[in-house]
Amino acid sequence: MPHALIVHAHPEAKSFCNAQMSEAVRALQAQSYTVEVSDLYAMNWDAELNRHDFTHDVEGPFKPPLAQEQASKSNTFAPDIAAELEKLRRADLLVFSFPLWWFSLPALLKGWVDRVFVRGTAYGGRIGTFAEGGFRGKRALLLFTTGSLEEHFGPGARDGELDVLLFHIQHGMLWFCGFQVLAPVISFAPVRGTPEARQQQLGQVRLALSTLDTRPIIFG
Ligand SMILES: Cc1cc2nc3c(=O)[nH]c(=O)nc-3n(C[C@H](O)[C@H](O)[C@H](O)COP(=O)(O)OP(=O)(O)OC[C@H]3O[C@@H](n4cnc5c(N)ncnc54)[C@H](O)[C@@H]3O)c2cc1C
């Protein structure tokens, strides 16, 4: 059975973002996926990459990439990182579920990437990048909400082009580490819509997560 890991970062359990994440879980389960959710706020996830990421002695000046490479060889990651790496190993599909904050990921989710996409496992050292990345063979997808309307995005539009805006995540994080990246699933400005429009948006999330095999590939 295929397995999905959803890494979710929204501080409010009753948010629309949370509702669409739950919709995604149900849609994937209906496609016979087993699903695991890392709900970063609920887990009180520590977003700070630092010496405490390792159980081996980090002596001298702290060089994060080297410490990560060492820990990848000696299995000496702190338990919270080791647990997320284990979830990733199990996963065929990774979903980042979040509200768009400052044209990017909430800091908690960025901190998850900093601490979990580690050198020596996700990329680098004995592992390559992009098509040779540590997570090759897995797919990934962004599932997010915005405050801006759909027409605010695009060539010449106020907020710019979404492909450009998302490049650092879809290319710089996911494809860099070997994931095949599927077209993002976006609910634009749920706060501005009617209850009916929001139900429609949840329906679109359900449909998108039910048809992953025909979803356009952005990278990989
Ligand atoms: C720090 C920060 C930076 C930001 N930067 C950006 C940015 O760069 N670009 C941008 O576009 N936006 C930005 N925003 C706005 C942000 O993206 C939106 O506030 C967010 O995506 C809205 O999603 P939400 O889940 O939080 O909405 P919510 O406010 O939780 O929900 C929206 C509406 O849906 C309703 N709802 C909740 N659950 C359900 C349900 N189950 N069914 C139907 N309706 C439901 C709620 O009652 C509410 O009326 C930023 C916000 C912050 C705080």
PDB file of all heavy atoms in Angstrom, residues 10 12 14-19 98-104 144-148 153 158-159 187 190-192 195 198-199 202, ligand 1:
ATOM      1  N   HIS A  10      -0.012  24.843  10.829  1.00  0.00           N
ATOM      2  CA  HIS A  10      -0.958  25.945  11.067  1.00  0.00           C
ATOM      3  C   HIS A  10      -1.257  25.943  12.564  1.00  0.00           C
ATOM      4  O   HIS A  10      -1.519  24.894  13.144  1.00  0.00           O
ATOM      5  CB  HIS A  10      -2.242  25.774  10.252  1.00  0.00           C
ATOM      6  CG  HIS A  10      -3.068  27.036  10.187  1.00  0.00           C
ATOM      7  ND1 HIS A  10      -3.668  27.586  11.318  1.00  0.00           N
ATOM      8  CD2 HIS A  10      -3.364  27.868   9.163  1.00  0.00           C
ATOM      9  CE1 HIS A  10      -4.299  28.701  10.960  1.00  0.00           C
ATOM     10  NE2 HIS A  10      -4.126  28.906   9.659  1.00  0.00           N
ATOM     11  N   GLU A  12      -3.822  26.896  14.239  1.00  0.00           N
ATOM     12  CA  GLU A  12      -5.218  26.790  14.683  1.00  0.00           C
ATOM     13  C   GLU A  12      -5.857  25.507  14.131  1.00  0.00           C
ATOM     14  O   GLU A  12      -5.947  25.336  12.912  1.00  0.00           O
ATOM     15  CB  GLU A  12      -5.997  28.040  14.206  1.00  0.00           C
ATOM     16  CG  GLU A  12      -7.487  27.966  14.397  1.00  0.00           C
ATOM     17  CD  GLU A  12      -7.894  27.661  15.845  1.00  0.00           C
ATOM     18  OE1 GLU A  12      -7.514  28.425  16.758  1.00  0.00           O
ATOM     19  OE2 GLU A  12      -8.587  26.640  16.058  1.00  0.00           O
ATOM     20  N   LYS A  14      -8.901  24.733  14.077  1.00  0.00           N
ATOM     21  CA  LYS A  14     -10.164  24.960  13.366  1.00  0.00           C
ATOM     22  C   LYS A  14      -9.981  25.836  12.122  1.00  0.00           C
ATOM     23  O   LYS A  14     -10.950  26.394  11.608  1.00  0.00           O
ATOM     24  CB  LYS A  14     -11.184  25.601  14.313  1.00  0.00           C
ATOM     25  CG  LYS A  14     -11.613  24.647  15.415  1.00  0.00           C
ATOM     26  CD  LYS A  14     -12.829  25.147  16.162  1.00  0.00           C
ATOM     27  CE  LYS A  14     -13.313  24.086  17.125  1.00  0.00           C
ATOM     28  NZ  LYS A  14     -13.496  24.597  18.489  1.00  0.00           N
ATOM     29  N   SER A  15      -8.769  25.959  11.648  1.00  0.00           N
ATOM     30  CA  SER A  15      -8.519  26.781  10.450  1.00  0.00           C
ATOM     31  C   SER A  15      -9.004  26.063   9.196  1.00  0.00           C
ATOM     32  O   SER A  15      -9.176  24.833   9.175  1.00  0.00           O
ATOM     33  CB  SER A  15      -7.024  27.062  10.316  1.00  0.00           C
ATOM     34  OG  SER A  15      -6.327  25.850  10.118  1.00  0.00           O
ATOM     35  N   PHE A  16      -9.169  26.838   8.145  1.00  0.00           N
ATOM     36  CA  PHE A  16      -9.504  26.252   6.846  1.00  0.00           C
ATOM     37  C   PHE A  16      -8.351  25.365   6.372  1.00  0.00           C
ATOM     38  O   PHE A  16      -8.567  24.299   5.796  1.00  0.00           O
ATOM     39  CB  PHE A  16      -9.792  27.354   5.821  1.00  0.00           C
ATOM     40  CG  PHE A  16     -10.212  26.801   4.502  1.00  0.00           C
ATOM     41  CD1 PHE A  16     -11.534  26.455   4.272  1.00  0.00           C
ATOM     42  CD2 PHE A  16      -9.287  26.594   3.488  1.00  0.00           C
ATOM     43  CE1 PHE A  16     -11.924  25.904   3.054  1.00  0.00           C
ATOM     44  CE2 PHE A  16      -9.663  26.050   2.272  1.00  0.00           C
ATOM     45  CZ  PHE A  16     -10.989  25.714   2.051  1.00  0.00           C
ATOM     46  N   CYS A  17      -7.152  25.828   6.628  1.00  0.00           N
ATOM     47  CA  CYS A  17      -5.955  25.080   6.235  1.00  0.00           C
ATOM     48  C   CYS A  17      -5.973  23.686   6.859  1.00  0.00           C
ATOM     49  O   CYS A  17      -5.654  22.685   6.208  1.00  0.00           O
ATOM     50  CB  CYS A  17      -4.727  25.873   6.715  1.00  0.00           C
ATOM     51  SG  CYS A  17      -3.177  25.304   6.083  1.00  0.00           S
ATOM     52  N   ASN A  18      -6.390  23.624   8.115  1.00  0.00           N
ATOM     53  CA  ASN A  18      -6.496  22.330   8.792  1.00  0.00           C
ATOM     54  C   ASN A  18      -7.600  21.483   8.149  1.00  0.00           C
ATOM     55  O   ASN A  18      -7.439  20.279   7.941  1.00  0.00           O
ATOM     56  CB  ASN A  18      -6.791  22.541  10.270  1.00  0.00           C
ATOM     57  CG  ASN A  18      -6.332  21.359  11.104  1.00  0.00           C
ATOM     58  OD1 ASN A  18      -5.161  21.263  11.451  1.00  0.00           O
ATOM     59  ND2 ASN A  18      -7.242  20.436  11.366  1.00  0.00           N
ATOM     60  N   ALA A  19      -8.706  22.159   7.801  1.00  0.00           N
ATOM     61  CA  ALA A  19      -9.821  21.434   7.164  1.00  0.00           C
ATOM     62  C   ALA A  19      -9.365  20.840   5.826  1.00  0.00           C
ATOM     63  O   ALA A  19      -9.711  19.702   5.498  1.00  0.00           O
ATOM     64  CB  ALA A  19     -11.015  22.369   6.958  1.00  0.00           C
ATOM     65  N   PHE A  98       0.165  24.057   4.525  1.00  0.00           N
ATOM     66  CA  PHE A  98       0.503  25.292   5.242  1.00  0.00           C
ATOM     67  C   PHE A  98      -0.268  26.483   4.683  1.00  0.00           C
ATOM     68  O   PHE A  98      -0.748  26.443   3.549  1.00  0.00           O
ATOM     69  CB  PHE A  98       2.021  25.565   5.129  1.00  0.00           C
ATOM     70  CG  PHE A  98       2.510  25.710   3.705  1.00  0.00           C
ATOM     71  CD1 PHE A  98       2.671  26.964   3.130  1.00  0.00           C
ATOM     72  CD2 PHE A  98       2.798  24.595   2.934  1.00  0.00           C
ATOM     73  CE1 PHE A  98       3.110  27.111   1.811  1.00  0.00           C
ATOM     74  CE2 PHE A  98       3.237  24.724   1.612  1.00  0.00           C
ATOM     75  CZ  PHE A  98       3.392  25.981   1.059  1.00  0.00           C
ATOM     76  N   PRO A  99      -0.364  27.563   5.449  1.00  0.00           N
ATOM     77  CA  PRO A  99      -0.802  28.842   4.900  1.00  0.00           C
ATOM     78  C   PRO A  99       0.420  29.561   4.325  1.00  0.00           C
ATOM     79  O   PRO A  99       1.509  29.490   4.908  1.00  0.00           O
ATOM     80  CB  PRO A  99      -1.338  29.580   6.138  1.00  0.00           C
ATOM     81  CG  PRO A  99      -0.534  29.028   7.276  1.00  0.00           C
ATOM     82  CD  PRO A  99      -0.128  27.636   6.913  1.00  0.00           C
ATOM     83  N   LEU A 100       0.248  30.225   3.195  1.00  0.00           N
ATOM     84  CA  LEU A 100       1.368  30.980   2.611  1.00  0.00           C
ATOM     85  C   LEU A 100       1.664  32.171   3.520  1.00  0.00           C
ATOM     86  O   LEU A 100       0.796  33.019   3.726  1.00  0.00           O
ATOM     87  CB  LEU A 100       0.987  31.452   1.204  1.00  0.00           C
ATOM     88  CG  LEU A 100       2.104  32.046   0.356  1.00  0.00           C
ATOM     89  CD1 LEU A 100       3.100  30.961  -0.067  1.00  0.00           C
ATOM     90  CD2 LEU A 100       1.533  32.730  -0.889  1.00  0.00           C
ATOM     91  N   TRP A 101       2.857  32.214   4.059  1.00  0.00           N
ATOM     92  CA  TRP A 101       3.267  33.318   4.934  1.00  0.00           C
ATOM     93  C   TRP A 101       4.496  33.979   4.311  1.00  0.00           C
ATOM     94  O   TRP A 101       5.497  33.320   4.069  1.00  0.00           O
ATOM     95  CB  TRP A 101       3.600  32.792   6.336  1.00  0.00           C
ATOM     96  CG  TRP A 101       2.368  32.527   7.192  1.00  0.00           C
ATOM     97  CD1 TRP A 101       1.066  32.678   6.840  1.00  0.00           C
ATOM     98  CD2 TRP A 101       2.357  32.063   8.557  1.00  0.00           C
ATOM     99  NE1 TRP A 101       0.226  32.331   7.891  1.00  0.00           N
ATOM    100  CE2 TRP A 101       0.998  31.962   8.957  1.00  0.00           C
ATOM    101  CE3 TRP A 101       3.351  31.717   9.476  1.00  0.00           C
ATOM    102  CZ2 TRP A 101       0.607  31.527  10.231  1.00  0.00           C
ATOM    103  CZ3 TRP A 101       2.967  31.290  10.738  1.00  0.00           C
ATOM    104  CH2 TRP A 101       1.618  31.210  11.113  1.00  0.00           C
ATOM    105  N   TRP A 102       4.389  35.265   4.093  1.00  0.00           N
ATOM    106  CA  TRP A 102       5.505  36.026   3.509  1.00  0.00           C
ATOM    107  C   TRP A 102       6.033  35.337   2.262  1.00  0.00           C
ATOM    108  O   TRP A 102       7.238  35.130   2.124  1.00  0.00           O
ATOM    109  CB  TRP A 102       6.607  36.286   4.550  1.00  0.00           C
ATOM    110  CG  TRP A 102       6.106  37.161   5.655  1.00  0.00           C
ATOM    111  CD1 TRP A 102       6.001  36.845   6.978  1.00  0.00           C
ATOM    112  CD2 TRP A 102       5.614  38.502   5.536  1.00  0.00           C
ATOM    113  NE1 TRP A 102       5.466  37.885   7.680  1.00  0.00           N
ATOM    114  CE2 TRP A 102       5.215  38.922   6.820  1.00  0.00           C
ATOM    115  CE3 TRP A 102       5.463  39.386   4.459  1.00  0.00           C
ATOM    116  CZ2 TRP A 102       4.668  40.184   7.053  1.00  0.00           C
ATOM    117  CZ3 TRP A 102       4.917  40.641   4.702  1.00  0.00           C
ATOM    118  CH2 TRP A 102       4.543  41.017   5.990  1.00  0.00           C
ATOM    119  N   PHE A 103       5.081  34.960   1.384  1.00  0.00           N
ATOM    120  CA  PHE A 103       5.428  34.343   0.093  1.00  0.00           C
ATOM    121  C   PHE A 103       6.182  33.032   0.290  1.00  0.00           C
ATOM    122  O   PHE A 103       6.910  32.584  -0.595  1.00  0.00           O
ATOM    123  CB  PHE A 103       6.299  35.286  -0.768  1.00  0.00           C
ATOM    124  CG  PHE A 103       5.550  36.458  -1.383  1.00  0.00           C
ATOM    125  CD1 PHE A 103       4.487  37.051  -0.747  1.00  0.00           C
ATOM    126  CD2 PHE A 103       5.929  36.967  -2.615  1.00  0.00           C
ATOM    127  CE1 PHE A 103       3.791  38.117  -1.307  1.00  0.00           C
ATOM    128  CE2 PHE A 103       5.243  38.034  -3.193  1.00  0.00           C
ATOM    129  CZ  PHE A 103       4.177  38.615  -2.533  1.00  0.00           C
ATOM    130  N   SER A 104       6.007  32.377   1.431  1.00  0.00           N
ATOM    131  CA  SER A 104       6.860  31.227   1.721  1.00  0.00           C
ATOM    132  C   SER A 104       6.192  30.302   2.736  1.00  0.00           C
ATOM    133  O   SER A 104       4.993  30.390   2.984  1.00  0.00           O
ATOM    134  CB  SER A 104       8.209  31.743   2.241  1.00  0.00           C
ATOM    135  OG  SER A 104       9.125  30.684   2.382  1.00  0.00           O
ATOM    136  N   PHE A 144      -1.639  24.417  -0.023  1.00  0.00           N
ATOM    137  CA  PHE A 144      -1.628  25.610   0.825  1.00  0.00           C
ATOM    138  C   PHE A 144      -2.784  26.560   0.556  1.00  0.00           C
ATOM    139  O   PHE A 144      -3.500  26.448  -0.434  1.00  0.00           O
ATOM    140  CB  PHE A 144      -0.276  26.336   0.735  1.00  0.00           C
ATOM    141  CG  PHE A 144       0.087  26.902  -0.609  1.00  0.00           C
ATOM    142  CD1 PHE A 144      -0.191  28.220  -0.925  1.00  0.00           C
ATOM    143  CD2 PHE A 144       0.737  26.132  -1.554  1.00  0.00           C
ATOM    144  CE1 PHE A 144       0.167  28.767  -2.155  1.00  0.00           C
ATOM    145  CE2 PHE A 144       1.103  26.656  -2.790  1.00  0.00           C
ATOM    146  CZ  PHE A 144       0.817  27.980  -3.093  1.00  0.00           C
ATOM    147  N   THR A 145      -2.961  27.457   1.500  1.00  0.00           N
ATOM    148  CA  THR A 145      -3.969  28.514   1.401  1.00  0.00           C
ATOM    149  C   THR A 145      -3.244  29.850   1.244  1.00  0.00           C
ATOM    150  O   THR A 145      -2.074  29.977   1.611  1.00  0.00           O
ATOM    151  CB  THR A 145      -4.822  28.577   2.684  1.00  0.00           C
ATOM    152  OG1 THR A 145      -3.933  28.684   3.811  1.00  0.00           O
ATOM    153  CG2 THR A 145      -5.684  27.333   2.851  1.00  0.00           C
ATOM    154  N   THR A 146      -3.953  30.817   0.694  1.00  0.00           N
ATOM    155  CA  THR A 146      -3.371  32.161   0.572  1.00  0.00           C
ATOM    156  C   THR A 146      -4.324  33.184   1.203  1.00  0.00           C
ATOM    157  O   THR A 146      -5.497  32.890   1.464  1.00  0.00           O
ATOM    158  CB  THR A 146      -3.174  32.568  -0.904  1.00  0.00           C
ATOM    159  OG1 THR A 146      -4.462  32.803  -1.482  1.00  0.00           O
ATOM    160  CG2 THR A 146      -2.441  31.511  -1.691  1.00  0.00           C
ATOM    161  N   GLY A 147      -3.803  34.387   1.388  1.00  0.00           N
ATOM    162  CA  GLY A 147      -4.649  35.519   1.729  1.00  0.00           C
ATOM    163  C   GLY A 147      -5.024  36.279   0.467  1.00  0.00           C
ATOM    164  O   GLY A 147      -6.106  36.845   0.352  1.00  0.00           O
ATOM    165  N   SER A 148      -4.133  36.265  -0.512  1.00  0.00           N
ATOM    166  CA  SER A 148      -4.368  36.987  -1.769  1.00  0.00           C
ATOM    167  C   SER A 148      -5.288  36.196  -2.682  1.00  0.00           C
ATOM    168  O   SER A 148      -5.309  34.963  -2.652  1.00  0.00           O
ATOM    169  CB  SER A 148      -3.035  37.224  -2.499  1.00  0.00           C
ATOM    170  OG  SER A 148      -2.204  38.069  -1.743  1.00  0.00           O
ATOM    171  N   PHE A 153      -1.959  36.796  -8.465  1.00  0.00           N
ATOM    172  CA  PHE A 153      -0.753  36.068  -8.874  1.00  0.00           C
ATOM    173  C   PHE A 153      -0.732  35.960 -10.400  1.00  0.00           C
ATOM    174  O   PHE A 153      -1.770  35.822 -11.030  1.00  0.00           O
ATOM    175  CB  PHE A 153      -0.757  34.652  -8.276  1.00  0.00           C
ATOM    176  CG  PHE A 153      -0.737  34.633  -6.762  1.00  0.00           C
ATOM    177  CD1 PHE A 153      -1.914  34.504  -6.036  1.00  0.00           C
ATOM    178  CD2 PHE A 153       0.456  34.763  -6.061  1.00  0.00           C
ATOM    179  CE1 PHE A 153      -1.912  34.485  -4.642  1.00  0.00           C
ATOM    180  CE2 PHE A 153       0.479  34.741  -4.666  1.00  0.00           C
ATOM    181  CZ  PHE A 153      -0.712  34.605  -3.959  1.00  0.00           C
ATOM    182  N   ARG A 158       0.125  41.721  -9.026  1.00  0.00           N
ATOM    183  CA  ARG A 158       0.621  42.315  -7.792  1.00  0.00           C
ATOM    184  C   ARG A 158       1.622  41.434  -7.034  1.00  0.00           C
ATOM    185  O   ARG A 158       2.680  41.875  -6.611  1.00  0.00           O
ATOM    186  CB  ARG A 158      -0.588  42.615  -6.888  1.00  0.00           C
ATOM    187  CG  ARG A 158      -0.306  43.504  -5.734  1.00  0.00           C
ATOM    188  CD  ARG A 158      -1.471  43.493  -4.772  1.00  0.00           C
ATOM    189  NE  ARG A 158      -1.523  42.240  -3.999  1.00  0.00           N
ATOM    190  CZ  ARG A 158      -2.396  42.010  -3.030  1.00  0.00           C
ATOM    191  NH1 ARG A 158      -3.314  42.902  -2.736  1.00  0.00           N
ATOM    192  NH2 ARG A 158      -2.381  40.867  -2.359  1.00  0.00           N
ATOM    193  N   ASP A 159       1.273  40.169  -6.869  1.00  0.00           N
ATOM    194  CA  ASP A 159       2.115  39.282  -6.047  1.00  0.00           C
ATOM    195  C   ASP A 159       3.117  38.466  -6.860  1.00  0.00           C
ATOM    196  O   ASP A 159       3.862  37.662  -6.300  1.00  0.00           O
ATOM    197  CB  ASP A 159       1.242  38.324  -5.232  1.00  0.00           C
ATOM    198  CG  ASP A 159       0.443  39.048  -4.153  1.00  0.00           C
ATOM    199  OD1 ASP A 159       0.469  40.300  -4.118  1.00  0.00           O
ATOM    200  OD2 ASP A 159      -0.211  38.378  -3.341  1.00  0.00           O
ATOM    201  N   SER A 187      -5.731  26.719  -2.296  1.00  0.00           N
ATOM    202  CA  SER A 187      -7.037  27.353  -2.049  1.00  0.00           C
ATOM    203  C   SER A 187      -6.763  28.846  -1.876  1.00  0.00           C
ATOM    204  O   SER A 187      -6.192  29.270  -0.860  1.00  0.00           O
ATOM    205  CB  SER A 187      -7.698  26.785  -0.801  1.00  0.00           C
ATOM    206  OG  SER A 187      -8.061  25.443  -1.009  1.00  0.00           O
ATOM    207  N   PRO A 190      -9.381  31.761   1.129  1.00  0.00           N
ATOM    208  CA  PRO A 190     -10.617  31.168   1.662  1.00  0.00           C
ATOM    209  C   PRO A 190     -11.361  32.132   2.582  1.00  0.00           C
ATOM    210  O   PRO A 190     -12.588  32.084   2.675  1.00  0.00           O
ATOM    211  CB  PRO A 190     -10.117  29.931   2.428  1.00  0.00           C
ATOM    212  CG  PRO A 190      -8.678  30.196   2.714  1.00  0.00           C
ATOM    213  CD  PRO A 190      -8.183  31.022   1.561  1.00  0.00           C
ATOM    214  N   VAL A 191     -10.616  33.030   3.206  1.00  0.00           N
ATOM    215  CA  VAL A 191     -11.239  33.955   4.158  1.00  0.00           C
ATOM    216  C   VAL A 191     -12.192  34.928   3.446  1.00  0.00           C
ATOM    217  O   VAL A 191     -13.146  35.427   4.046  1.00  0.00           O
ATOM    218  CB  VAL A 191     -10.149  34.699   4.980  1.00  0.00           C
ATOM    219  CG1 VAL A 191      -9.449  35.748   4.163  1.00  0.00           C
ATOM    220  CG2 VAL A 191     -10.725  35.282   6.256  1.00  0.00           C
ATOM    221  N   ARG A 192     -11.959  35.162   2.161  1.00  0.00           N
ATOM    222  CA  ARG A 192     -12.786  36.121   1.422  1.00  0.00           C
ATOM    223  C   ARG A 192     -13.987  35.463   0.734  1.00  0.00           C
ATOM    224  O   ARG A 192     -14.851  36.154   0.213  1.00  0.00           O
ATOM    225  CB  ARG A 192     -11.949  36.819   0.343  1.00  0.00           C
ATOM    226  CG  ARG A 192     -10.742  37.553   0.901  1.00  0.00           C
ATOM    227  CD  ARG A 192     -10.320  38.607  -0.095  1.00  0.00           C
ATOM    228  NE  ARG A 192      -8.937  38.980   0.076  1.00  0.00           N
ATOM    229  CZ  ARG A 192      -8.367  39.963  -0.577  1.00  0.00           C
ATOM    230  NH1 ARG A 192      -9.052  40.646  -1.468  1.00  0.00           N
ATOM    231  NH2 ARG A 192      -7.109  40.264  -0.374  1.00  0.00           N
ATOM    232  N   PRO A 195     -19.325  30.608   2.297  1.00  0.00           N
ATOM    233  CA  PRO A 195     -19.250  29.212   2.770  1.00  0.00           C
ATOM    234  C   PRO A 195     -19.347  28.222   1.602  1.00  0.00           C
ATOM    235  O   PRO A 195     -18.652  27.206   1.581  1.00  0.00           O
ATOM    236  CB  PRO A 195     -20.461  29.088   3.702  1.00  0.00           C
ATOM    237  CG  PRO A 195     -20.680  30.484   4.200  1.00  0.00           C
ATOM    238  CD  PRO A 195     -20.303  31.393   3.072  1.00  0.00           C
ATOM    239  N   ARG A 198     -16.062  28.016  -0.172  1.00  0.00           N
ATOM    240  CA  ARG A 198     -15.079  27.233   0.596  1.00  0.00           C
ATOM    241  C   ARG A 198     -15.347  25.730   0.464  1.00  0.00           C
ATOM    242  O   ARG A 198     -14.407  24.940   0.377  1.00  0.00           O
ATOM    243  CB  ARG A 198     -15.085  27.674   2.061  1.00  0.00           C
ATOM    244  CG  ARG A 198     -14.373  29.006   2.274  1.00  0.00           C
ATOM    245  CD  ARG A 198     -14.079  29.252   3.738  1.00  0.00           C
ATOM    246  NE  ARG A 198     -15.260  29.566   4.503  1.00  0.00           N
ATOM    247  CZ  ARG A 198     -15.767  30.792   4.635  1.00  0.00           C
ATOM    248  NH1 ARG A 198     -15.168  31.820   4.085  1.00  0.00           N
ATOM    249  NH2 ARG A 198     -16.853  30.992   5.352  1.00  0.00           N
ATOM    250  N   GLN A 199     -16.630  25.364   0.441  1.00  0.00           N
ATOM    251  CA  GLN A 199     -16.942  23.938   0.238  1.00  0.00           C
ATOM    252  C   GLN A 199     -16.431  23.483  -1.131  1.00  0.00           C
ATOM    253  O   GLN A 199     -15.920  22.371  -1.272  1.00  0.00           O
ATOM    254  CB  GLN A 199     -18.458  23.682   0.346  1.00  0.00           C
ATOM    255  CG  GLN A 199     -19.013  23.776   1.770  1.00  0.00           C
ATOM    256  CD  GLN A 199     -18.190  22.983   2.786  1.00  0.00           C
ATOM    257  OE1 GLN A 199     -17.810  21.840   2.548  1.00  0.00           O
ATOM    258  NE2 GLN A 199     -17.881  23.603   3.918  1.00  0.00           N
ATOM    259  N   LEU A 202     -12.785  22.883  -0.904  1.00  0.00           N
ATOM    260  CA  LEU A 202     -12.481  21.594  -0.271  1.00  0.00           C
ATOM    261  C   LEU A 202     -12.727  20.450  -1.266  1.00  0.00           C
ATOM    262  O   LEU A 202     -11.976  19.468  -1.300  1.00  0.00           O
ATOM    263  CB  LEU A 202     -13.322  21.392   0.997  1.00  0.00           C
ATOM    264  CG  LEU A 202     -12.960  22.320   2.170  1.00  0.00           C
ATOM    265  CD1 LEU A 202     -13.921  22.114   3.345  1.00  0.00           C
ATOM    266  CD2 LEU A 202     -11.523  22.096   2.634  1.00  0.00           C
TER     267      LEU A 202
HETATM  268  C1  LIG B   1       2.644  36.088   8.962  1.00  0.00           C
HETATM  269  C2  LIG B   1       1.682  36.054   7.802  1.00  0.00           C
HETATM  270  C3  LIG B   1       2.170  36.226   6.533  1.00  0.00           C
HETATM  271  C4  LIG B   1       1.309  36.146   5.435  1.00  0.00           C
HETATM  272  N1  LIG B   1       1.825  36.266   4.177  1.00  0.00           N
HETATM  273  C5  LIG B   1       1.029  36.069   3.106  1.00  0.00           C
HETATM  274  C6  LIG B   1       1.561  36.109   1.784  1.00  0.00           C
HETATM  275  O1  LIG B   1       2.749  36.296   1.553  1.00  0.00           O
HETATM  276  N2  LIG B   1       0.711  35.904   0.732  1.00  0.00           N
HETATM  277  C7  LIG B   1      -0.617  35.680   0.919  1.00  0.00           C
HETATM  278  O2  LIG B   1      -1.342  35.487  -0.058  1.00  0.00           O
HETATM  279  N3  LIG B   1      -1.147  35.643   2.174  1.00  0.00           N
HETATM  280  C8  LIG B   1      -0.360  35.815   3.257  1.00  0.00           C
HETATM  281  N4  LIG B   1      -0.885  35.736   4.529  1.00  0.00           N
HETATM  282  C9  LIG B   1      -2.311  35.357   4.671  1.00  0.00           C
HETATM  283  C10 LIG B   1      -2.460  33.854   4.896  1.00  0.00           C
HETATM  284  O3  LIG B   1      -1.932  33.137   3.811  1.00  0.00           O
HETATM  285  C11 LIG B   1      -3.942  33.517   5.066  1.00  0.00           C
HETATM  286  O4  LIG B   1      -4.388  34.143   6.255  1.00  0.00           O
HETATM  287  C12 LIG B   1      -4.184  32.024   5.194  1.00  0.00           C
HETATM  288  O5  LIG B   1      -3.660  31.315   4.103  1.00  0.00           O
HETATM  289  C13 LIG B   1      -5.693  31.747   5.259  1.00  0.00           C
HETATM  290  O6  LIG B   1      -5.902  30.388   5.552  1.00  0.00           O
HETATM  291  P1  LIG B   1      -6.394  29.946   7.002  1.00  0.00           P
HETATM  292  O7  LIG B   1      -6.560  28.479   7.033  1.00  0.00           O
HETATM  293  O8  LIG B   1      -5.544  30.540   8.057  1.00  0.00           O
HETATM  294  O9  LIG B   1      -7.824  30.651   7.021  1.00  0.00           O
HETATM  295  P2  LIG B   1      -8.904  30.722   8.191  1.00  0.00           P
HETATM  296  O10 LIG B   1      -8.985  32.148   8.630  1.00  0.00           O
HETATM  297  O11 LIG B   1      -8.682  29.678   9.216  1.00  0.00           O
HETATM  298  O12 LIG B   1     -10.216  30.300   7.422  1.00  0.00           O
HETATM  299  C14 LIG B   1     -10.803  31.068   6.385  1.00  0.00           C
HETATM  300  C15 LIG B   1     -12.301  30.893   6.486  1.00  0.00           C
HETATM  301  O13 LIG B   1     -12.649  29.501   6.357  1.00  0.00           O
HETATM  302  C16 LIG B   1     -13.571  29.125   7.395  1.00  0.00           C
HETATM  303  N5  LIG B   1     -13.423  27.692   7.694  1.00  0.00           N
HETATM  304  C17 LIG B   1     -12.666  27.087   8.636  1.00  0.00           C
HETATM  305  N6  LIG B   1     -12.863  25.770   8.618  1.00  0.00           N
HETATM  306  C18 LIG B   1     -13.749  25.521   7.624  1.00  0.00           C
HETATM  307  C19 LIG B   1     -14.330  24.345   7.103  1.00  0.00           C
HETATM  308  N7  LIG B   1     -14.060  23.146   7.618  1.00  0.00           N
HETATM  309  N8  LIG B   1     -15.195  24.454   6.079  1.00  0.00           N
HETATM  310  C20 LIG B   1     -15.495  25.650   5.549  1.00  0.00           C
HETATM  311  N9  LIG B   1     -14.977  26.820   5.996  1.00  0.00           N
HETATM  312  C21 LIG B   1     -14.105  26.746   7.035  1.00  0.00           C
HETATM  313  C22 LIG B   1     -13.188  30.027   8.560  1.00  0.00           C
HETATM  314  O14 LIG B   1     -14.248  30.153   9.465  1.00  0.00           O
HETATM  315  C23 LIG B   1     -12.872  31.333   7.850  1.00  0.00           C
HETATM  316  O15 LIG B   1     -14.041  32.064   7.600  1.00  0.00           O
HETATM  317  C24 LIG B   1      -0.070  35.873   5.631  1.00  0.00           C
HETATM  318  C25 LIG B   1      -0.563  35.742   6.933  1.00  0.00           C
HETATM  319  C26 LIG B   1       0.303  35.824   8.004  1.00  0.00           C
HETATM  320  C27 LIG B   1      -0.238  35.662   9.395  1.00  0.00           C
END
